[in-house]
Amino acid sequence: MDDEAPKTIKLRAEDNAWFLLATLYGRPAPDDRELQSKNCQAWNRYMANAISRDSRQKLVGGGKYSAEELNPSPASEIELFFWKRHKQAGSAASTALPKVEPWRAIDFSIDFSNLEFDEPLYLDRFFFPSLITFERASFSRSADFRNTAFAGPDYFKDADFSEPAHFERAALFDFTFYGATANFERATFSDSATFGGANFSGGANFEGATFSEHADFNGANFSGGANFDGTTFSEATFGGANFSGRANFDGAKFSGDANFERASFLSSEEIPSRWPLIAMTATFHHATFSGRAYFNGATFSGAIFEEAIFFKEADFSYATFSTEADFASATFSGDVEFHATTFGRLTRFDFATIKSMMAFVNASMKVQLHSSGRSSGGSRRAFSVPNCTKVQSGAV
């Protein structure tokens, strides 16, 4: 008996009724903004039926859409166009227009799972009022979700992006489904992935995802938890990103530079700890940084880098650790800079391995530094920084 799991059969995008609706007037060329806009308006006006007037006014008042873009259109207005699109595509999907119940966004889902998108996908500024899934979908060409509003949960679990994926300024879980999660678990990004300025109002799950090229999360906002447990990055930038919930990078691997300049890791949620008065922390436990790691100007409620490995330089200059900074058993192969860094209640470097220079010039510490490190030769070596406002230290 063959124990091998059966391979998922990918379906042609045009054999999916939701895709036909999203491309009601045809599949636009990259430079055909007019057709892209026409498809978007038809979709948004039909989807507007699924939300209340108050919800529509909230979207319009926020400047995301105009009143005309969310003026609900009846099914009868687009049924003929849907039938023509179905015939033109030679589709195997149902000829019935997907049903959208008035004010019942929570009762239906939009299903793009297992589809093969073999041409560029343009969903810029589309509005998705309900749960939407792209699970196991394959994007062999670029995918554009810029400025898209996901009011409900969206699932990209095991999705495969072969060309650039754009999620800039996307709003995930804007208002309809509070506490939902944007799920990119085990998603594969073979080309660049841009989430700059995206808003994750619920949780964001990138556990086990792979970013083979540049991953851009500059200015992204994570209001719920952000899970990058076991995520593989080539080169990643989180400059100016805001993490209001728990940020988990446990076991994440960065083969290129990791840039967290001016990122904020702030949460008031308490977690169990053997150390007293420790608030919610950003977790980089066992993370691996093969390139340079920049945390210049980052703000942490607390941060755990226990057993993290830094192969090149690490810069924490001007960073602020309000409660805990835990670098126990971390390995630093390159220079480490804590210039003008502010440390809070507890700072630990117990059994850290330091192979180059670690500098604490003008660092500010509220408590005694806990330190029992290892030199480049591997022998245990203790070092300390006085409990004072200005600290100057060379290699430690």
Side-chain angles (χ1 to χ4, degrees), residues 65-327:
Y65 299 99
S66 68
E68 176 57 29
E69 286 177 296
L70 293 182
N71 180 27
S73 64
S76 59
E77 190 175 300
I78 61 174
E79 281 176 331
L80 179 59
F81 294 102
F82 182 80
W83 179 82
K84 289 181 177 178
R85 176 75 177 102
H86 188 285
K87 184 178 180 181
Q88 176 268 331
S91 178
S94 169
T95 56
L97 179 68
K99 195 173 184 180
V100 175
E101 294 287 349
W103 294 25
R104 303 298 295 174
I106 200 168
D107 288 345
F108 73 95
S109 60
I110 302 167
D111 190 356
F112 291 99
S113 60
N114 296 318
L115 295 188
E116 173 66 52
F117 296 97
D118 57 358
E119 292 186 25
L121 180 64
Y122 299 100
L123 297 178
D124 182 359
R125 303 193 74 255
F126 272 56
F127 170 60
F128 299 109
S130 63
L131 182 151
I132 181 169
T133 177
F134 287 87
E135 287 194 54
R136 299 175 302 279
S138 294
F139 301 83
S140 55
R141 300 296 299 277
S142 61
D144 189 349
F145 291 89
R146 278 176 277 214
N147 302 294
T148 298
F150 297 87
D154 66 290
Y155 298 109
F156 289 86
K157 186 177 177 180
D158 294 307
D160 184 7
F161 297 87
S162 298
E163 290 201 359
H166 297 278
F167 288 85
E168 296 99 308
R169 300 175 302 280
L172 298 104
F173 319 125
D174 223 11
F175 57 85
T176 306
F177 295 76
Y178 292 105
T181 299
N183 194 338
F184 289 84
E185 186 178 351
R186 295 192 304 274
T188 301
F189 299 88
S190 300
D191 209 314
S192 60
T194 51
F195 290 83
N199 286 294
F200 297 87
S201 298
N205 183 17
F206 288 86
E207 182 177 353
T210 300
F211 295 87
S212 298
E213 296 293 335
H214 184 66
D216 181 356
F217 286 87
N218 283 316
N221 292 294
F222 299 88
S223 299
N227 184 16
F228 291 89
D229 185 0
T231 303
T232 300
F233 295 94
S234 175
E235 182 180 85
T237 56
F238 287 83
N242 293 298
F243 297 85
S244 300
R246 184 179 187 184
N248 180 19
F249 287 83
D250 193 350
K253 292 180 172 60
F254 298 83
S255 60
D257 292 352
N259 190 335
F260 287 83
E261 291 190 56
R262 303 180 310 282
S264 296
F265 299 84
L266 302 173
S267 175
S268 59
E269 183 178 349
E270 296 290 327
I271 58 172
S273 174
R274 67 179 184 271
W275 299 102
L277 303 176
I278 302 302
M280 177 63 88
T281 60
T283 303
F284 292 84
H285 176 256
H286 235 296
T288 301
F289 300 88
S290 297
R292 293 168 294 181
Y294 294 102
F295 290 88
N296 193 297
T299 304
F300 298 92
S301 174
I304 295 177
F305 288 87
E306 188 176 1
E307 297 184 272
I309 300 174
F310 299 85
F311 283 97
K312 293 186 178 179
E313 310 96 276
D315 188 355
F316 292 87
S317 296
Y318 302 99
T320 299
F321 299 89
S322 300
T323 56
E324 172 188 31
D326 187 350
F327 293 90

Side-chain angles (χ1 to χ4, degrees), residues 318-375:
Y318 302 99
T320 299
F321 299 89
S322 300
T323 56
E324 172 188 31
D326 187 350
F327 293 90
S329 299
T331 300
F332 300 92
S333 295
D335 291 348
V336 189
E337 183 67 65
F338 288 98
H339 178 76
T341 303
T342 300
F343 294 93
R345 302 187 188 101
L346 177 67
T347 305
R348 299 181 63 224
F349 285 89
D350 301 74
F351 303 106
T353 299
I354 302 155
K355 298 181 179 180
S356 189
M357 174 180 287
M358 181 176 287
F360 293 82
V361 178
N362 293 328
S364 174
M365 297 189 181
K366 297 179 182 178
V367 297
Q368 180 71 29
L369 177 68
H370 288 247
S371 54
S372 184
R374 298 177 185 275
S375 66

